[in-house]
Amino acid sequence: MNTSSTSSHTNQASSIDSVKLKQALLTRSRPKKANWFSNTMTFSWRALLKLKYIPEQLLDVTVFPIMFLLMFTYLFGGAIAGSTGDYLQFLLPGILVMTVITITMYTGMELNNDISKGIFDRFRSLPIWRPSVLVGALFVDAVRYSIASLIMIGLGLILGFRPDGGTIGVISAVGLLLLFSFSLSWIWTTLGLVLRSEKSLMGVSMMVLFPLTFISNVFVDPSTLPSWLQAFVDINPVSLLVTAVRGLMHGVATTEQIGVVIIASLLLILVFAPLTMFLYKNKN
Amino acid sequence: MTSKSVKESEPVSVAIARKGNLSNKSTEDTTNMESSIKQPTKLAIEATGLVKVFGEKRAVDGVDLAIKAGTVYGFLGPNGAGKTTTIRMLSTLLNPDEGTAIILGHDLNKESNAIRSKVSLTGQFASVDEDLSGLENLILIGRLLGFSRKAAKERARELLSAFGLEDAAKQQVKNYSGGMRRRLDIAASIVVTPELLFLDEPTTGLDPRSRNQVWDIVRALVSAGTTVLLTTQYLDEADQLADRIAVIDHGKIIAEGTSAELKASVGSGVLHVRVLDPEKRSKAQLILAQKLKVPIQALSEPTALTARVTDTQLVAEAIGELSHSGIAVTDFSLGQPSLDEVFLTLTGKPAESKRKQDEKGV
């Protein structure tokens, strides 16, 4: 109530300045149309401003990774690998993938939020490169994923994570993860346009993400699984990504492993980016 | 209900060029703006047979429009009448299922990009980012439209001060009052002064002071040469602002004309009279009927009388006659016909009950 009373006070003090208004309306010159890149950067700026106002948005890329890494390393380490130190070498790349993949779903929620407010219509009625609304936000998401990766790898190093792939291996692993996450986000933007509320979007996202991340090779070596489950794990895109990221970090990734992830990413973009834009254009 | 080939109610189009009426609505100082004002005969919107179907419901059911550039056009109708859907089609947010429209010389079905660069939309719900400040919101729009960082900031400042939002420039919009939010919303629509502005229920939910401010903005816009299409539920608002009004119900335009023309068909207002002594009510009813020459209704309340009057000049005389005849009047009022009364007259049914009947499939 505090805010509303101050704002109504402001309202009383302010009024329209008709002279200035007339002046402002006289300026009819339209600047040269901004290009797609400028549009995208402007939307990135918007997303960054939101981080400034709502810094708790960063919890999922700061506290979560730390929590996950500590939790799973010490919970499963002894049981699965005999020692937490050995397990960390195996787990860290996997848990990194899981964390980043899970936070991709916020992209869809942000869009869904825009739709339920009126600003979605405002953006759609502007003469701009339409995908920029989403691509701009996705760029800032990539920054968020990078923060999560940095924190998790930093903590891992302190705990005893020793990647054989060296700095280059780790950086290319994170790069591959960012590419896949960017691609995966288009699924959430599609769903964000289809589903009616943030809650239903959250529900559906969890339903998809939970099995994909857990029934994978993030936590355990799939060879210990029953054959039918192993079959799923082997084709699970998250497993493929984890294999490539783990391989890159430890310097044993094959071109094929990396290629599969790149192709999967491109396929995701090819299918879901146009689908998102179609739904965006035709949203009632 | 799959297809309706024959239109049951043709709009009461009055295609006479209106004169004089505009000049007293817009301010006189138009000398500097000659270049920006459209030719008076030019149409900003010309729509034929617009249809939009949502599932079973024909939300917009064959709307024809001819809106002259540089005027204010009002869409008057209850909730769910099809006002918003029509505006969303005309502003390229929805594709029409049938029909065509030429907006500022561009075909709606083919050149939506060209249209988007000439029009602005202020939606029914504040279409600004609540998490950002007012200043940031306007810079955002300015940058998207192609202003440089500096120019976007200057324009944002200029608009904020014109709209009395300077003090709140750096506050998050979520802390704005309803009126401030609406002003910012409109400011965001004129970061580049558009040739055509769509305003969807610009004053719904605002207090009278904020409402008047929005009206002032609309008047300023029109005097600067912008065509405005606004929707409203209030006859009063359409009357204040619009040069022409379309009454819309069930996706159809059921009447169209100037405010004066509409009122002439509806009656200028409703007179409510209350007498002190219930015994004298029937005598009062007789006197009023004689003076006003319209039927006077006695309400269930024992002292109240009501009448729909066409000539408001007679009302003062009639009230005077009551006191001459020794009938004490405790209370009287002459109100504008409400939207319901407009509907009652135009459709023979009040807006609400009519809709309920239709939902039952009558």
Side-chain angles (χ1 to χ4, degrees), chain B residues 1 10-11 43 118 132 140 149 160 167 174 182 230 258 263 333:
Chain B
M1 285 301 283
E10 277 293 307
L43 290 178
K118 288 184 172 176
L132 308 189
L140 176 72
R149 225 173 286 263
L160 286 169
D167 296 341
K174 62 169 70 148
R182 206 63 307 218
L230 63 88
T258 64
K263 276 196 198 153
S333 68

Side-chain angles (χ1 to χ4, degrees), chain A residues 176 244 248 253-263:
Chain A
L176 192 66
L248 278 168
T254 64
T255 322
E256 196 196 337
Q257 286 168 345
I258 299 167
V260 165
V261 174
I262 294 176
I263 289 167

Side-chain angles (χ1 to χ4, degrees), chain A residues 249-272:
Chain A
M249 285 190 174
H250 291 303
V252 293
T254 64
T255 322
E256 196 196 337
Q257 286 168 345
I258 299 167
V260 165
V261 174
I262 294 176
I263 289 167
S265 304
L266 294 181
L267 277 179
L268 280 174
I269 296 181
L270 277 177
V271 173
F272 288 99

Side-chain angles (χ1 to χ4, degrees), chain B residues 185-301:
Chain B
D185 211 350
I186 298 176
S189 294
I190 58 178
V191 168
V192 168
T193 313
E195 287 178 44
L196 170 62
L197 175 65
F198 297 100
L199 286 173
D200 197 2
E201 302 207 1
T203 63
T204 300
L206 295 189
D207 61 60
R209 185 171 181 270
S210 303
R211 191 195 56 184
N212 284 329
Q213 289 179 333
V214 170
W215 288 0
D216 286 344
I217 296 170
V218 173
R219 291 190 184 108
L221 270 163
V222 178
S223 73
T226 296
T227 310
V228 176
L229 173 56
L230 63 88
T231 72
T232 180
Q233 299 187 40
Y234 313 115
L235 187 59
D236 179 32
E237 180 160 280
D239 189 18
Q240 285 282 334
L241 293 176
D243 298 302
R244 291 187 79 80
I245 299 168
V247 181
I248 184 164
D249 188 32
H250 289 92
K252 288 193 167 113
I253 293 177
I254 55 174
E256 205 258 359
T258 64
S259 158
E261 285 162 351
L262 277 179
K263 276 196 198 153
S265 71
V266 176
S268 330
V270 179
L271 175 69
H272 296 279
V273 175
R274 220 170 272 218
V275 294
L276 182 65
D277 183 359
E279 305 270 297
K280 290 188 177 164
R281 182 167 79 162
S282 50
K283 192 182 169 198
Q285 190 172 5
L286 216 68
I287 294 170
L288 288 177
Q290 268 171 7
K291 278 280 165 195
L292 296 173
K293 300 182 179 68
V294 291
I296 312 292
Q297 286 171 296
L299 301 178
S300 54
E301 209 183 321

Side-chain angles (χ1 to χ4, degrees), chain B residues 47-343:
Chain B
T48 336
L50 286 180
V51 171
K52 186 73 197 177
V53 184
F54 294 126
E56 298 262 297
K57 194 183 173 212
R58 293 177 78 82
V60 174
D61 195 5
V63 162
D64 301 328
L65 288 169
I67 300 174
K68 249 186 284 170
T71 63
V72 180
Y73 197 90
F75 262 11
L76 180 66
N79 281 328
K83 306 188 298 283
T84 300
T85 308
T86 307
I87 274 209
R88 288 172 64 87
M89 282 195 280
L90 294 174
S91 58
T92 77
L93 293 182
L94 270 182
N95 295 325
D97 292 330
E98 287 169 39
T100 54
I102 305 294
I103 316 277
L104 301 166
H106 298 284
D107 188 329
L108 179 63
N109 294 322
K110 290 178 198 138
E111 302 167 272
S112 55
N113 275 324
I115 294 172
R116 272 198 285 276
S117 65
K118 288 184 172 176
V119 307
S120 271
L121 167 76
T122 302
Q124 197 168 342
F125 305 103
S127 30
V128 285
D129 193 328
E130 296 196 328
D131 292 328
L132 308 189
S133 71
L135 180 66
E136 286 160 349
N137 264 293
L138 294 185
I139 294 177
L140 176 72
I141 304 293
R143 292 284 290 146
L144 289 174
L145 290 174
F147 282 107
S148 70
R149 225 173 286 263
K150 185 165 164 274
K153 198 165 189 175
E154 271 169 18
R155 180 65 172 165
R157 289 260 177 225
E158 184 183 16
L159 287 171
L160 286 169
S161 89
F163 280 74
L165 293 168
E166 232 164 2
D167 296 341
K170 297 205 164 165
Q171 275 179 39
Q172 272 182 290
V173 174
K174 62 169 70 148
N175 298 328
Y176 280 24
S177 69
M180 291 162 75
R181 205 176 283 224
R182 206 63 307 218
R183 273 181 276 150
L184 180 67
D185 211 350
I186 298 176
S189 294
I190 58 178
V191 168
V192 168
T193 313
E195 287 178 44
L196 170 62
L197 175 65
F198 297 100
L199 286 173
D200 197 2
E201 302 207 1
T203 63
T204 300
L206 295 189
D207 61 60
R209 185 171 181 270
S210 303
R211 191 195 56 184
N212 284 329
Q213 289 179 333
V214 170
W215 288 0
D216 286 344
I217 296 170
V218 173
R219 291 190 184 108
L221 270 163
V222 178
S223 73
T226 296
T227 310
V228 176
L229 173 56
L230 63 88
T231 72
T232 180
Q233 299 187 40
Y234 313 115
L235 187 59
D236 179 32
E237 180 160 280
D239 189 18
Q240 285 282 334
L241 293 176
D243 298 302
R244 291 187 79 80
I245 299 168
V247 181
I248 184 164
D249 188 32
H250 289 92
K252 288 193 167 113
I253 293 177
I254 55 174
E256 205 258 359
T258 64
S259 158
E261 285 162 351
L262 277 179
K263 276 196 198 153
S265 71
V266 176
S268 330
V270 179
L271 175 69
H272 296 279
V273 175
R274 220 170 272 218
V275 294
L276 182 65
D277 183 359
E279 305 270 297
K280 290 188 177 164
R281 182 167 79 162
S282 50
K283 192 182 169 198
Q285 190 172 5
L286 216 68
I287 294 170
L288 288 177
Q290 268 171 7
K291 278 280 165 195
L292 296 173
K293 300 182 179 68
V294 291
I296 312 292
Q297 286 171 296
L299 301 178
S300 54
E301 209 183 321
T303 58
L305 290 168
T306 177
R308 206 179 303 158
V309 291
T310 40
D311 187 353
T312 47
Q313 302 283 335
L314 293 174
V315 171
E317 274 179 48
I319 300 290
E321 187 61 33
L322 287 181
S323 62
H324 277 304
S325 318
I327 301 170
V329 173
T330 58
D331 188 29
F332 73 91
S333 68
L334 179 63
Q336 280 224 323
S338 67
L339 180 57
D340 242 15
E341 281 152 348
V342 172
F343 272 84

